[in-house]
Amino acid sequence: MRKYIIAGNWKMNKTKDEGLALVKQLIELSKDIKNVDIVVGVPSVLVDSISNLTNGTNIEVAAQNLYPAENGAFTGELSPSMLISVGAKYVILGHSERREYFNETDEFINSKIKIALKHNLKPILCIGENLEERKSGKLELVIKQQITLGLAGLTKEDMESIIIAYEPIWD
């Protein structure tokens, strides 16, 4: 049986100093927790600093996104190798905000999952319906599509490294 995972994503919040202060508190508060994996999802500009701070603790760092390419002319994007080089162990993919504001499709998310796995980053696949979809009875259809297309072509062994986070959008 897998360990439970507690993951927190602070989105586009916290300056470097604020983030370091928050994680220092988290390290102190969680130092005796052994039976749960603790992951913090931090903005890309803080992955290196937070990874250095959490090194040797029971806290791991997740990047909030990646681009599904090894390198190239993708200004502003981050490759899996870049994220690993600054200490990311996990990566959040398929977040509702990326789907809504950046029009990320399930197929595009699938390509991100595959390259993350290739580089031994643990993907956290976010799935979830919005309130309108839930009220109209489309919850199961939406979730099934996000899982089926998001995980297409993956093996049983691949699935052992993937975390699925159910995060409905009900506001």
Side-chain angles (χ1 to χ4, degrees), residues 72-160:
F74 304 104
T75 302
E77 296 294 337
L78 300 167
S79 74
S81 297
M82 290 174 170
L83 296 174
I84 290 167
S85 74
V86 293
K89 301 281 192 263
Y90 294 79
V91 61
I92 300 169
L93 302 171
H95 198 281
S96 60
E97 293 147 9
R98 300 291 310 176
R99 292 174 188 268
E100 182 180 353
Y101 304 134
F102 299 96
N103 300 311
E104 290 191 2
T105 65
D106 294 309
E107 294 82 3
F108 186 63
I109 293 160
N110 177 260
S111 67
K112 290 179 170 195
I113 290 170
K114 288 177 178 175
I115 200 164
L117 290 169
K118 181 179 175 184
H119 287 272
N120 295 314
L121 278 169
K122 295 178 185 177
I124 301 172
L125 171 61
C126 300
I127 61 169
E129 79 288 355
N130 63 36
L131 188 56
E132 180 182 319
E133 292 164 334
R134 183 175 187 82
K135 285 182 176 180
S136 66
K138 295 180 183 174
L139 178 144
E140 289 182 24
L141 179 68
V142 169
I143 299 302
K144 182 178 180 180
Q145 177 178 314
Q146 289 174 346
I147 290 173
T148 302
L149 297 177
L151 301 175
L154 299 177
T155 66
K156 178 183 174 184
E157 292 76 26
D158 291 334
M159 291 304 300
E160 292 175 6

Coordinates of all heavy atoms in Angstrom, one line a residue, residues 72-160:
G72 N 14.9 23.6 -26.3 CA 14.4 24.2 -27.6 C 13.9 25.7 -27.4 O 14.1 26.2 -26.3
A73 N 13.3 26.2 -28.4 CA 12.9 27.6 -28.4 C 11.5 27.7 -27.8 O 10.5 27.9 -28.6 CB 13.0 28.2 -29.8
F74 N 11.4 27.6 -26.5 CA 10.1 27.6 -25.8 C 10.3 28.6 -24.7 O 10.3 28.3 -23.5 CB 9.7 26.2 -25.3 CG 9.7 25.2 -26.3 CD1 10.7 24.3 -26.5 CD2 8.6 25.2 -27.2 CE1 10.6 23.3 -27.5 CE2 8.5 24.2 -28.2 CZ 9.5 23.3 -28.3
T75 N 10.4 29.9 -25.0 CA 10.7 31.0 -24.1 C 9.8 30.9 -22.9 O 8.6 30.9 -23.0 CB 10.6 32.3 -24.8 OG1 11.6 32.3 -25.9 CG2 10.9 33.5 -23.8
G76 N 10.4 30.9 -21.7 CA 9.6 31.0 -20.5 C 9.2 29.6 -19.9 O 8.7 29.5 -18.8
E77 N 9.4 28.6 -20.7 CA 9.0 27.2 -20.3 C 10.2 26.5 -19.6 O 11.3 27.0 -19.7 CB 8.5 26.4 -21.5 CG 7.3 26.9 -22.2 CD 6.1 26.9 -21.3 OE1 6.0 26.1 -20.3 OE2 5.1 27.7 -21.5
L78 N 9.9 25.4 -18.9 CA 10.9 24.7 -18.1 C 10.9 23.2 -18.5 O 9.8 22.6 -18.6 CB 10.6 24.8 -16.6 CG 10.6 26.2 -16.1 CD1 9.9 26.3 -14.7 CD2 12.0 26.8 -16.1
S79 N 12.0 22.7 -18.8 CA 12.2 21.3 -19.2 C 12.3 20.4 -17.9 O 12.6 20.9 -16.8 CB 13.4 21.1 -20.1 OG 14.6 21.2 -19.3
P80 N 12.0 19.2 -18.0 CA 12.2 18.3 -16.9 C 13.6 18.3 -16.3 O 13.8 18.3 -15.1 CB 11.8 16.9 -17.4 CG 11.0 17.1 -18.6 CD 11.4 18.4 -19.2
S81 N 14.6 18.4 -17.2 CA 16.0 18.4 -16.7 C 16.3 19.7 -15.9 O 17.0 19.6 -14.9 CB 16.9 18.3 -17.9 OG 16.8 17.1 -18.6
M82 N 15.7 20.8 -16.3 CA 15.9 22.0 -15.6 C 15.3 21.9 -14.2 O 15.9 22.3 -13.2 CB 15.2 23.2 -16.3 CG 15.8 23.6 -17.6 SD 14.8 24.9 -18.3 CE 15.8 25.5 -19.6
L83 N 14.1 21.3 -14.1 CA 13.5 21.1 -12.8 C 14.2 20.2 -11.9 O 14.4 20.5 -10.7 CB 12.0 20.7 -13.0 CG 11.1 21.6 -13.7 CD1 9.8 21.0 -14.0 CD2 11.0 22.9 -13.0
I84 N 14.7 19.1 -12.4 CA 15.5 18.2 -11.6 C 16.8 18.8 -11.2 O 17.2 18.6 -10.0 CB 15.7 16.9 -12.5 CG1 14.4 16.1 -12.6 CG2 16.8 16.0 -11.8 CD1 14.5 15.0 -13.7
S85 N 17.4 19.6 -12.0 CA 18.7 20.2 -11.7 C 18.6 21.2 -10.5 O 19.6 21.5 -9.8 CB 19.3 20.9 -12.9 OG 18.6 22.1 -13.2
V86 N 17.4 21.6 -10.2 CA 17.2 22.5 -9.0 C 16.4 21.9 -7.9 O 16.0 22.5 -6.9 CB 16.5 23.9 -9.4 CG1 17.4 24.7 -10.3 CG2 15.2 23.6 -10.1
G87 N 16.3 20.6 -8.0 CA 15.8 19.8 -6.8 C 14.3 19.4 -6.8 O 13.9 18.8 -5.9
A88 N 13.6 19.6 -7.9 CA 12.2 19.1 -7.9 C 12.2 17.6 -8.0 O 13.0 17.0 -8.7 CB 11.5 19.7 -9.1
K89 N 11.3 17.0 -7.2 CA 11.1 15.6 -7.3 C 9.7 15.2 -7.8 O 9.5 14.1 -8.3 CB 11.1 15.0 -5.8 CG 12.5 15.2 -5.1 CD 13.5 14.3 -5.6 CE 14.7 14.3 -4.7 NZ 15.8 15.2 -5.2
Y90 N 8.8 16.2 -7.7 CA 7.4 16.0 -8.2 C 7.1 17.2 -9.2 O 7.8 18.2 -9.2 CB 6.4 16.1 -7.1 CG 6.5 15.0 -6.0 CD1 7.5 15.0 -5.1 CD2 5.5 14.0 -6.1 CE1 7.5 14.0 -4.1 CE2 5.6 13.0 -5.1 CZ 6.6 12.9 -4.1 OH 6.6 11.9 -3.2
V91 N 6.0 17.0 -10.0 CA 5.5 18.1 -10.8 C 4.0 18.0 -10.9 O 3.5 16.9 -11.1 CB 6.2 18.1 -12.2 CG1 5.9 16.8 -13.0 CG2 5.8 19.3 -13.0
I92 N 3.4 19.1 -10.7 CA 1.9 19.2 -10.8 C 1.5 19.5 -12.2 O 2.0 20.4 -12.9 CB 1.4 20.4 -9.9 CG1 1.8 20.2 -8.4 CG2 -0.1 20.6 -10.0 CD1 1.6 21.4 -7.5
L93 N 0.6 18.6 -12.7 CA 0.2 18.7 -14.1 C -1.3 18.6 -14.2 O -1.9 17.9 -13.4 CB 0.9 17.5 -14.9 CG 2.4 17.5 -14.9 CD1 2.9 16.3 -15.5 CD2 3.0 18.8 -15.6
G94 N -1.9 19.3 -15.2 CA -3.3 19.2 -15.4 C -4.1 20.0 -14.4 O -5.3 19.8 -14.3
H95 N -3.5 21.0 -13.7 CA -4.2 21.8 -12.8 C -5.3 22.5 -13.5 O -5.2 22.9 -14.6 CB -3.3 22.8 -12.1 CG -3.9 23.3 -10.8 ND1 -4.8 24.3 -10.8 CD2 -3.6 22.9 -9.5 CE1 -5.1 24.5 -9.6 NE2 -4.5 23.7 -8.8
S96 N -6.5 22.7 -12.8 CA -7.6 23.3 -13.4 C -7.3 24.7 -14.0 O -7.8 25.1 -15.0 CB -8.8 23.4 -12.4 OG -8.4 24.2 -11.3
E97 N -6.4 25.4 -13.3 CA -6.1 26.7 -13.8 C -5.3 26.7 -15.1 O -5.5 27.5 -16.0 CB -5.3 27.5 -12.8 CG -6.1 27.8 -11.6 CD -5.4 27.8 -10.3 OE1 -4.1 27.8 -10.3 OE2 -6.0 27.9 -9.2
R98 N -4.4 25.6 -15.3 CA -3.7 25.4 -16.5 C -4.7 25.0 -17.6 O -4.6 25.5 -18.8 CB -2.6 24.4 -16.4 CG -1.5 24.7 -15.4 CD -0.6 25.8 -15.7 NE -0.1 25.7 -17.0 CZ 0.7 26.6 -17.6 NH1 1.0 27.7 -16.9 NH2 1.2 26.5 -18.8
R99 N -5.7 24.2 -17.3 CA -6.7 23.8 -18.3 C -7.5 25.0 -18.7 O -7.8 25.2 -19.9 CB -7.6 22.7 -17.7 CG -6.9 21.4 -17.4 CD -7.8 20.4 -16.6 NE -7.2 19.2 -16.2 CZ -7.1 18.1 -16.9 NH1 -7.7 18.0 -18.0 NH2 -6.5 17.0 -16.3
E100 N -7.9 25.8 -17.7 CA -8.9 26.9 -18.0 C -8.1 28.1 -18.7 O -8.6 28.6 -19.7 CB -9.6 27.4 -16.8 CG -10.6 28.5 -17.0 CD -11.3 29.0 -15.8 OE1 -11.1 28.4 -14.7 OE2 -12.0 30.0 -15.9
Y101 N -7.1 28.6 -18.1 CA -6.5 29.8 -18.5 C -5.5 29.6 -19.7 O -5.2 30.6 -20.4 CB -5.8 30.6 -17.4 CG -6.7 30.9 -16.2 CD1 -6.3 30.6 -14.9 CD2 -8.0 31.4 -16.4 CE1 -7.1 30.8 -13.8 CE2 -8.8 31.6 -15.3 CZ -8.3 31.4 -14.0 OH -9.1 31.6 -12.9
F102 N -4.9 28.5 -19.7 CA -3.9 28.2 -20.8 C -4.3 27.2 -21.8 O -3.5 26.7 -22.6 CB -2.6 27.8 -20.1 CG -2.0 28.9 -19.2 CD1 -2.3 28.9 -17.9 CD2 -1.3 29.9 -19.7 CE1 -1.8 29.9 -17.0 CE2 -0.8 31.0 -18.9 CZ -1.0 30.9 -17.6
N103 N -5.6 26.8 -21.7 CA -6.2 25.9 -22.7 C -5.5 24.6 -22.8 O -5.4 24.0 -23.9 CB -6.4 26.6 -24.0 CG -7.3 27.8 -23.9 OD1 -8.4 27.7 -23.3 ND2 -6.8 28.9 -24.4
E104 N -4.9 24.0 -21.7 CA -4.2 22.8 -21.8 C -5.2 21.6 -22.0 O -6.2 21.5 -21.2 CB -3.3 22.6 -20.6 CG -2.2 23.5 -20.6 CD -1.1 23.2 -19.5 OE1 -1.3 22.2 -18.8 OE2 -0.1 23.9 -19.5
T105 N -5.0 20.8 -22.9 CA -5.9 19.7 -23.2 C -5.4 18.4 -22.5 O -4.2 18.4 -22.0 CB -5.9 19.4 -24.7 OG1 -4.6 18.9 -25.1 CG2 -6.4 20.6 -25.5
D106 N -6.3 17.4 -22.4 CA -5.9 16.2 -21.8 C -4.7 15.5 -22.5 O -3.8 14.9 -21.9 CB -7.1 15.2 -21.7 CG -8.2 15.7 -20.8 OD1 -7.9 16.1 -19.6 OD2 -9.3 15.8 -21.2
E107 N -4.7 15.7 -23.8 CA -3.6 15.1 -24.7 C -2.3 15.8 -24.4 O -1.3 15.1 -24.3 CB -4.0 15.2 -26.1 CG -5.2 14.3 -26.6 CD -6.6 15.0 -26.3 OE1 -6.6 16.2 -25.8 OE2 -7.6 14.3 -26.5
F108 N -2.3 17.1 -24.2 CA -1.1 17.9 -23.9 C -0.6 17.5 -22.5 O 0.6 17.3 -22.3 CB -1.4 19.4 -24.0 CG -0.2 20.2 -23.9 CD1 0.9 20.2 -24.8 CD2 -0.1 21.1 -22.8 CE1 2.0 21.0 -24.7 CE2 1.1 21.9 -22.7 CZ 2.1 21.9 -23.6
I109 N -1.5 17.4 -21.6 CA -1.2 17.0 -20.2 C -0.6 15.6 -20.3 O 0.4 15.3 -19.6 CB -2.4 17.0 -19.3 CG1 -2.8 18.5 -19.2 CG2 -2.1 16.4 -18.0 CD1 -4.2 18.7 -18.7
N110 N -1.1 14.7 -21.1 CA -0.5 13.3 -21.2 C 0.9 13.4 -21.7 O 1.8 12.6 -21.2 CB -1.4 12.5 -22.2 CG -0.9 11.2 -22.5 OD1 -0.2 10.9 -23.5 ND2 -1.1 10.2 -21.6
S111 N 1.2 14.3 -22.6 CA 2.6 14.4 -23.1 C 3.5 14.9 -22.0 O 4.7 14.5 -21.9 CB 2.7 15.3 -24.3 OG 2.4 16.7 -24.0
K112 N 3.0 15.7 -21.1 CA 3.8 16.2 -20.0 C 4.0 15.1 -19.0 O 5.1 15.0 -18.4 CB 3.0 17.4 -19.3 CG 3.0 18.6 -20.0 CD 2.2 19.7 -19.2 CE 2.3 21.0 -19.8 NZ 1.8 22.1 -18.9
I113 N 3.0 14.3 -18.7 CA 3.2 13.2 -17.8 C 4.2 12.2 -18.3 O 5.1 11.7 -17.6 CB 1.8 12.4 -17.6 CG1 0.9 13.3 -16.8 CG2 2.0 11.1 -16.9 CD1 -0.6 12.8 -16.8
K114 N 4.2 11.9 -19.6 CA 5.1 11.0 -20.2 C 6.6 11.4 -20.1 O 7.5 10.7 -19.7 CB 4.8 10.7 -21.6 CG 3.5 9.8 -21.8 CD 3.1 9.6 -23.2 CE 1.9 8.6 -23.3 NZ 1.5 8.5 -24.7
I115 N 6.8 12.7 -20.3 CA 8.2 13.2 -20.3 C 8.6 13.3 -18.8 O 9.8 13.1 -18.5 CB 8.4 14.5 -21.0 CG1 9.9 14.7 -21.3 CG2 7.8 15.7 -20.3 CD1 10.2 15.8 -22.4
A116 N 7.7 13.7 -17.9 CA 8.1 13.7 -16.5 C 8.5 12.3 -16.0 O 9.5 12.2 -15.4 CB 6.9 14.1 -15.7
L117 N 7.8 11.3 -16.4 CA 8.1 9.9 -16.0 C 9.5 9.5 -16.6 O 10.3 8.8 -16.0 CB 7.0 8.9 -16.5 CG 5.7 9.0 -15.7 CD1 4.6 8.2 -16.4 CD2 5.9 8.6 -14.3
K118 N 9.7 9.9 -17.8 CA 11.0 9.6 -18.5 C 12.1 10.1 -17.7 O 13.2 9.6 -17.7 CB 11.0 10.2 -19.9 CG 12.2 9.9 -20.7 CD 12.1 10.5 -22.1 CE 13.4 10.4 -22.9 NZ 13.4 11.0 -24.2
H119 N 11.9 11.2 -17.0 CA 13.0 11.9 -16.2 C 12.9 11.6 -14.7 O 13.5 12.2 -13.9 CB 12.9 13.4 -16.5 CG 13.4 13.8 -17.8 ND1 14.8 14.0 -18.1 CD2 12.8 13.9 -19.0 CE1 14.9 14.3 -19.4 NE2 13.7 14.3 -19.9
N120 N 12.1 10.6 -14.4 CA 11.9 10.2 -13.0 C 11.3 11.3 -12.1 O 11.6 11.3 -10.9 CB 13.2 9.7 -12.4 CG 13.6 8.4 -13.1 OD1 12.8 7.5 -13.3 ND2 14.8 8.3 -13.5
L121 N 10.6 12.2 -12.7 CA 9.8 13.2 -11.9 C 8.5 12.5 -11.6 O 7.9 11.8 -12.5 CB 9.5 14.5 -12.6 CG 10.6 15.5 -12.6 CD1 10.3 16.6 -13.7 CD2 10.8 16.1 -11.3
K122 N 7.9 12.7 -10.4 CA 6.7 12.1 -10.0 C 5.5 13.0 -10.4 O 5.4 14.1 -9.8 CB 6.6 11.7 -8.5 CG 7.6 10.7 -8.2 CD 7.6 10.4 -6.7 CE 8.6 9.4 -6.3 NZ 8.7 9.2 -4.8
P123 N 4.7 12.7 -11.4 CA 3.6 13.6 -11.8 C 2.5 13.5 -10.7 O 2.1 12.5 -10.3 CB 3.1 13.0 -13.1 CG 4.1 12.0 -13.5 CD 4.8 11.5 -12.3
I124 N 1.9 14.7 -10.5 CA 0.7 14.8 -9.7 C -0.3 15.3 -10.7 O -0.3 16.4 -11.1 CB 0.8 15.8 -8.5 CG1 1.9 15.4 -7.6 CG2 -0.5 16.0 -7.8 CD1 2.3 16.4 -6.5
L125 N -1.2 14.4 -11.2 CA -2.2 14.7 -12.2 C -3.4 15.2 -11.4 O -4.1 14.5 -10.7 CB -2.6 13.4 -13.0 CG -3.8 13.6 -13.9 CD1 -3.5 14.7 -15.0 CD2 -4.1 12.3 -14.6
C126 N -3.8 16.4 -11.7 CA -5.0 17.0 -11.2 C -6.2 16.8 -12.1 O -6.1 17.0 -13.3 CB -4.8 18.5 -11.0 SG -3.4 19.0 -9.9
I127 N -7.2 16.3 -11.5 CA -8.5 16.1 -12.2 C -9.6 16.8 -11.4 O -9.5 17.0 -10.2 CB -8.8 14.6 -12.4 CG1 -8.9 13.9 -11.1 CG2 -7.7 14.0 -13.3 CD1 -9.5 12.5 -11.2
G128 N -10.7 17.1 -12.1 CA -11.8 17.6 -11.3 C -12.8 18.4 -12.2 O -12.4 18.9 -13.3
E129 N -14.0 18.4 -11.8 CA -15.1 19.0 -12.6 C -15.4 20.4 -12.0 O -15.1 20.6 -10.8 CB -16.3 18.1 -12.6 CG -17.2 18.2 -11.3 CD -16.6 17.5 -10.1 OE1 -15.5 16.9 -10.2 OE2 -17.1 17.6 -9.0
N130 N -16.0 21.3 -12.8 CA -16.5 22.5 -12.2 C -17.9 22.3 -11.7 O -18.5 21.3 -11.9 CB -16.4 23.7 -13.3 CG -17.2 23.5 -14.5 OD1 -18.3 23.0 -14.5 ND2 -16.7 23.9 -15.6
L131 N -18.4 23.4 -11.1 CA -19.8 23.3 -10.5 C -20.9 23.0 -11.5 O -21.8 22.2 -11.3 CB -20.0 24.5 -9.7 CG -21.3 24.5 -8.8 CD1 -21.3 23.3 -7.8 CD2 -21.4 25.8 -8.0
E132 N -20.8 23.7 -12.6 CA -21.8 23.5 -13.7 C -21.8 22.1 -14.2 O -22.9 21.5 -14.4 CB -21.5 24.5 -14.9 CG -22.5 24.3 -16.0 CD -22.2 25.3 -17.2 OE1 -21.8 26.4 -16.9 OE2 -22.3 24.8 -18.3
E133 N -20.6 21.5 -14.4 CA -20.5 20.1 -14.8 C -21.1 19.1 -13.8 O -21.8 18.2 -14.1 CB -19.1 19.7 -15.2 CG -18.5 20.4 -16.4 CD -17.0 20.4 -16.5 OE1 -16.3 20.3 -15.5 OE2 -16.5 20.5 -17.6
R134 N -20.8 19.4 -12.5 CA -21.3 18.6 -11.4 C -22.8 18.7 -11.4 O -23.5 17.6 -11.3 CB -20.7 19.1 -10.1 CG -21.1 18.2 -8.9 CD -20.4 18.6 -7.7 NE -20.6 17.7 -6.6 CZ -20.0 16.6 -6.4 NH1 -19.1 16.2 -7.2 NH2 -20.3 15.8 -5.4
K135 N -23.4 19.9 -11.4 CA -24.8 20.1 -11.3 C -25.6 19.5 -12.5 O -26.7 19.0 -12.4 CB -25.2 21.6 -11.2 CG -24.9 22.1 -9.8 CD -25.3 23.6 -9.7 CE -25.1 24.1 -8.3 NZ -25.5 25.5 -8.2
S136 N -24.9 19.5 -13.7 CA -25.6 18.9 -14.9 C -25.4 17.4 -15.0 O -25.8 16.9 -16.1 CB -25.1 19.7 -16.1 OG -23.8 19.4 -16.3
G137 N -24.8 16.8 -14.0 CA -24.6 15.4 -14.1 C -23.5 14.9 -14.9 O -23.4 13.7 -15.3
K138 N -22.5 15.7 -15.3 CA -21.4 15.4 -16.1 C -20.2 15.0 -15.3 O -19.1 14.8 -15.9 CB -21.1 16.5 -17.1 CG -22.2 16.8 -18.1 CD -21.8 17.9 -19.0 CE -22.9 18.3 -19.9 NZ -22.7 19.5 -20.7
L139 N -20.3 14.9 -14.0 CA -19.1 14.7 -13.2 C -18.3 13.4 -13.7 O -17.1 13.5 -13.9 CB -19.5 14.5 -11.7 CG -18.4 14.1 -10.7 CD1 -18.7 14.8 -9.4 CD2 -18.3 12.7 -10.5
E140 N -19.0 12.3 -13.8 CA -18.3 11.1 -14.1 C -17.7 11.1 -15.5 O -16.6 10.6 -15.8 CB -19.3 9.9 -14.0 CG -19.6 9.5 -12.6 CD -20.5 8.3 -12.4 OE1 -20.5 7.5 -13.3 OE2 -21.1 8.2 -11.4
L141 N -18.4 11.7 -16.5 CA -17.9 11.9 -17.8 C -16.7 12.7 -17.9 O -15.7 12.3 -18.5 CB -19.0 12.5 -18.7 CG -18.6 12.8 -20.2 CD1 -18.5 11.4 -20.9 CD2 -19.7 13.6 -20.9
V142 N -16.7 13.8 -17.2 CA -15.5 14.7 -17.1 C -14.3 14.0 -16.5 O -13.2 14.0 -17.1 CB -15.8 16.0 -16.4 CG1 -14.6 16.9 -16.1 CG2 -16.8 16.9 -17.1
I143 N -14.5 13.4 -15.4 CA -13.4 12.7 -14.7 C -12.9 11.5 -15.5 O -11.7 11.4 -15.6 CB -13.9 12.2 -13.3 CG1 -14.3 13.4 -12.4 CG2 -12.8 11.4 -12.6 CD1 -13.3 14.4 -12.2
K144 N -13.8 10.8 -16.1 CA -13.4 9.6 -16.9 C -12.5 10.1 -18.1 O -11.5 9.5 -18.4 CB -14.6 8.9 -17.4 CG -14.2 7.7 -18.3 CD -15.5 6.9 -18.7 CE -15.0 5.7 -19.5 NZ -16.2 4.9 -20.0
Q145 N -12.9 11.2 -18.8 CA -12.2 11.7 -19.9 C -10.8 12.2 -19.4 O -9.8 11.9 -20.1 CB -12.9 12.9 -20.6 CG -12.1 13.5 -21.7 CD -12.9 14.6 -22.4 OE1 -14.0 14.4 -22.7 NE2 -12.2 15.7 -22.7
Q146 N -10.7 12.9 -18.3 CA -9.5 13.5 -17.9 C -8.5 12.3 -17.5 O -7.3 12.4 -17.8 CB -9.7 14.4 -16.6 CG -10.3 15.7 -17.0 CD -10.6 16.5 -15.8 OE1 -10.6 16.0 -14.6 NE2 -11.0 17.8 -16.0
I147 N -9.0 11.3 -16.9 CA -8.2 10.1 -16.6 C -7.8 9.3 -17.8 O -6.6 9.0 -18.0 CB -8.9 9.2 -15.5 CG1 -8.9 10.0 -14.2 CG2 -8.1 7.9 -15.4 CD1 -9.7 9.3 -13.1
T148 N -8.8 9.0 -18.6 CA -8.5 8.1 -19.8 C -7.5 8.8 -20.8 O -6.6 8.2 -21.2 CB -9.9 7.8 -20.5 OG1 -10.7 7.2 -19.6 CG2 -9.6 7.0 -21.8
L149 N -7.8 10.1 -21.1 CA -6.9 10.8 -22.0 C -5.6 11.2 -21.4 O -4.5 11.1 -22.0 CB -7.6 12.0 -22.7 CG -8.8 11.6 -23.5 CD1 -9.5 12.9 -24.0 CD2 -8.5 10.7 -24.7
G150 N -5.7 11.6 -20.1 CA -4.4 12.1 -19.4 C -3.5 10.9 -19.2 O -2.2 11.2 -19.1
L151 N -4.0 9.7 -19.0 CA -3.1 8.6 -18.7 C -2.9 7.6 -19.9 O -2.4 6.5 -19.8 CB -3.6 7.8 -17.5 CG -3.7 8.6 -16.2 CD1 -4.4 7.8 -15.1 CD2 -2.4 9.2 -15.8
A152 N -3.4 8.0 -21.1 CA -3.3 7.2 -22.3 C -1.9 6.7 -22.6 O -0.9 7.5 -22.5 CB -3.9 7.9 -23.5
G153 N -1.7 5.4 -22.9 CA -0.4 4.9 -23.3 C 0.5 4.6 -22.1 O 1.7 4.3 -22.4
L154 N 0.1 4.7 -20.9 CA 0.9 4.5 -19.8 C 0.8 3.0 -19.3 O -0.2 2.4 -19.5 CB 0.6 5.5 -18.6 CG 0.8 6.9 -19.0 CD1 0.5 7.8 -17.8 CD2 2.3 7.2 -19.4
T155 N 1.9 2.5 -18.7 CA 1.9 1.1 -18.3 C 1.5 1.1 -16.8 O 1.5 2.1 -16.1 CB 3.3 0.5 -18.4 OG1 4.2 1.2 -17.6 CG2 3.8 0.7 -19.9
K156 N 1.3 -0.2 -16.3 CA 1.1 -0.4 -14.9 C 2.3 0.1 -14.1 O 2.1 0.7 -13.0 CB 0.9 -1.9 -14.7 CG 0.7 -2.3 -13.3 CD 0.5 -3.8 -13.1 CE 0.5 -4.2 -11.6 NZ 0.4 -5.6 -11.4
E157 N 3.5 -0.1 -14.6 CA 4.7 0.4 -13.9 C 4.7 1.9 -13.8 O 5.1 2.5 -12.8 CB 5.9 -0.2 -14.6 CG 6.1 -1.7 -14.4 CD 5.2 -2.5 -15.3 OE1 4.8 -2.0 -16.4 OE2 4.9 -3.7 -15.0
D158 N 4.3 2.6 -14.9 CA 4.2 4.0 -14.9 C 3.3 4.5 -13.8 O 3.5 5.5 -13.1 CB 3.7 4.6 -16.3 CG 4.7 4.4 -17.4 OD1 5.9 4.3 -17.2 OD2 4.2 4.3 -18.6
M159 N 2.1 3.8 -13.7 CA 1.1 4.2 -12.8 C 1.6 4.2 -11.3 O 1.1 4.9 -10.5 CB -0.2 3.4 -12.9 CG -0.9 3.6 -14.2 SD -1.4 5.3 -14.5 CE -2.4 5.6 -13.1
E160 N 2.6 3.4 -11.0 CA 3.1 3.3 -9.7 C 3.8 4.7 -9.3 O 3.9 4.9 -8.1 CB 4.1 2.2 -9.6 CG 3.4 0.8 -9.7 CD 4.4 -0.4 -9.7 OE1 5.6 -0.2 -9.5 OE2 3.9 -1.5 -9.9

